Amino acid sequence: MSVKSYEAASRAFESQLKEWNWTGQKAGRQNILEAFLQLAIANGFNSVSMRTIANAVNIKPPSLYSHFPDGRDEIVAESLRWHFHRFGVALLEAIEPARNAEEFWDAMVKLHFTRQVRLPESNLWDLLVATDRMAGVLPKELRAQVDDWVTLHEQMYEAAARDMGCPDPGEHVRVVMTLLEGATRWAPRDCTDAELEELADRAVTLSRAILAVDFGSGTQ
């Protein structure tokens, strides 16, 4: 039995995820990363200093360096990796029951949408990645990892779309991902779980409508 495109893309994504193994992370490091994320969400990315992080976890600033020897830059990098890792774990769990490309696509869209609405750090990191594309704020090695990660995620969407009959889905997928990353523009954070589920179904409907659009070759 041949492997579907979306199954192969999922396996590639899972393989990359395993390279970022968080099972050995100590609780102290995770607490610091959590504190950094919460401070960045509440006060803005640039306002978070080593001192404010140390105060949040109730340790002295020099003690942070025993966990992160390279200081704030390392905390930023590890926070970004951790965010992507947690998203990846959740994504693989969401798509695991899928029996075909349509169910795979719907599960991806719903998970993506729900996390954008419910988790403020999703928007924080989308902004950081977008800023890096314009101003190059991330270290070179981390930027390469982020690019690989985003590409693998997009390839999962593209593979499912091809299996669903969209022959050249690159542009369609980029539009869908833009729609989902802007979810908080049209879905309030304080919506109830029932409202969120309804909105997630709407996101699926919109995404499928986008796949059906014939973008053509543009105007001449």
Side-chain angles (χ1 to χ4, degrees):
M1 184 176 179
S2 61
V3 176
K4 298 291 186 180
S5 297
Y6 75 86
E7 294 173 332
S10 176
R11 290 175 186 176
F13 182 91
E14 184 175 10
S15 177
Q16 178 67 46
L17 183 66
K18 288 179 179 177
E19 292 187 13
W20 290 352
N21 185 0
W22 285 88
T23 57
Q25 290 287 322
K26 295 181 179 179
R29 282 173 61 91
Q30 291 192 13
N31 289 340
I32 292 168
L33 296 177
E34 282 283 6
F36 173 80
L37 287 171
Q38 295 305 315
L39 288 167
I41 291 166
N43 304 312
F45 177 81
N46 291 326
S47 69
V48 184
S49 66
M50 294 294 279
R51 182 173 297 279
T52 57
I53 298 171
N55 289 339
V57 295
N58 198 29
I59 63 176
K60 295 181 179 180
S63 298
L64 287 176
Y65 291 93
S66 65
H67 296 283
F68 297 97
D70 292 332
R72 186 180 184 277
D73 288 346
E74 185 179 2
I75 292 174
V76 172
E78 288 300 281
S79 295
L80 186 54
R81 293 187 182 103
W82 192 30
H83 168 69
F84 280 137
H85 176 82
R86 290 189 297 178
F87 175 81
V89 170
L91 180 58
L92 291 175
E93 289 177 353
I95 63 176
E96 196 277 331
R99 295 166 295 180
N100 51 53
E102 288 78 8
E103 291 183 2
F104 184 92
W105 175 274
D106 293 356
M108 286 190 68
V109 170
K110 288 184 178 181
L111 187 279
H112 196 161
F113 172 84
T114 300
R115 290 180 73 87
Q116 288 293 142
V117 175
R118 285 291 193 239
L119 301 178
E121 59 265 34
S122 295
N123 294 287
L124 174 70
W125 290 123
D126 287 344
L127 177 61
L128 178 59
V129 171
T131 301
D132 178 68
R133 288 172 179 166
M134 294 184 292
V137 297
L138 296 176
K140 184 177 180 180
E141 180 182 356
L142 180 59
R143 180 180 304 119
Q145 290 178 340
V146 169
D147 287 344
D148 287 345
W149 189 260
V150 171
T151 297
L152 286 168
H153 189 202
E154 289 181 352
Q155 286 173 348
M156 291 174 71
Y157 274 115
E158 291 175 6
R162 279 193 295 271
D163 289 341
M164 292 164 66
C166 185
D168 187 18
E171 187 172 359
H172 297 78
V173 166
R174 288 190 292 273
V175 173
V176 168
M177 294 189 75
T178 299
L179 170 74
L180 296 173
E181 289 169 1
T184 53
R185 299 286 300 273
W186 53 283
R189 290 194 186 280
D190 59 354
C191 61
T192 66
D193 289 345
E195 290 170 336
L196 182 65
E197 185 174 353
E198 182 179 344
L199 287 165
D201 288 337
R202 186 180 304 171
V204 169
T205 300
L206 289 170
S207 72
R208 289 207 182 200
I210 290 169
L211 288 184
V213 173
D214 181 6
F215 288 123
S217 57
T219 57
Q220 300 296 322

